[in-house]
Amino acid sequence: PIPLPTPTPATVEATILVAEDDPALLRHMVELLKDRYRVLPAANGAAALAIAREELPDLLVTDLDMPQMNGMELTREFLALQ
């Protein structure tokens, strides 16, 4: 299993779901965003969709080529939740 960064606290209004299967890139994106947004990290598209269903984030940032569910499929499913 890939160790994920801890979700950031809800100290801001916007929540961003970041789906990325490269652990180093995922950590980097979380670090860049965490001071201004609540960031929810996910290691693949399937995990991101599960988080999206629970949290209903404001924005999705996704890799396109991921295992289990690619970014295009994830985006379609994410938009259907809105």
Side-chain angles (χ1 to χ4, degrees):
I2 299 170
L4 295 176
T6 305
T8 56
T11 56
V12 291
E13 292 183 27
T15 299
I16 300 175
L17 173 57
V18 180
E20 172 57 61
D21 61 335
D22 179 326
L25 186 53
L26 180 59
R27 278 191 300 276
H28 183 67
M29 288 192 294
V30 169
E31 284 298 315
L32 288 173
L33 297 168
K34 73 178 187 178
D35 291 337
R36 298 193 66 188
Y37 305 99
R38 179 172 177 243
V39 183
L40 305 170
N44 60 57
L49 183 57
I51 292 168
R53 287 182 174 138
E54 296 258 332
E55 300 282 340
L56 296 173
D58 301 298
L59 178 69
L60 170 65
V61 176
T62 183
D63 183 0
L64 290 179
D65 186 24
M66 294 183 291
Q68 298 183 20
M69 177 183 285
N70 69 42
M72 294 302 288
E73 293 171 288
L74 173 59
T75 300
R76 275 192 288 278
E77 294 288 334
F78 179 78
L79 290 173
L81 296 174
Q82 305 301 311

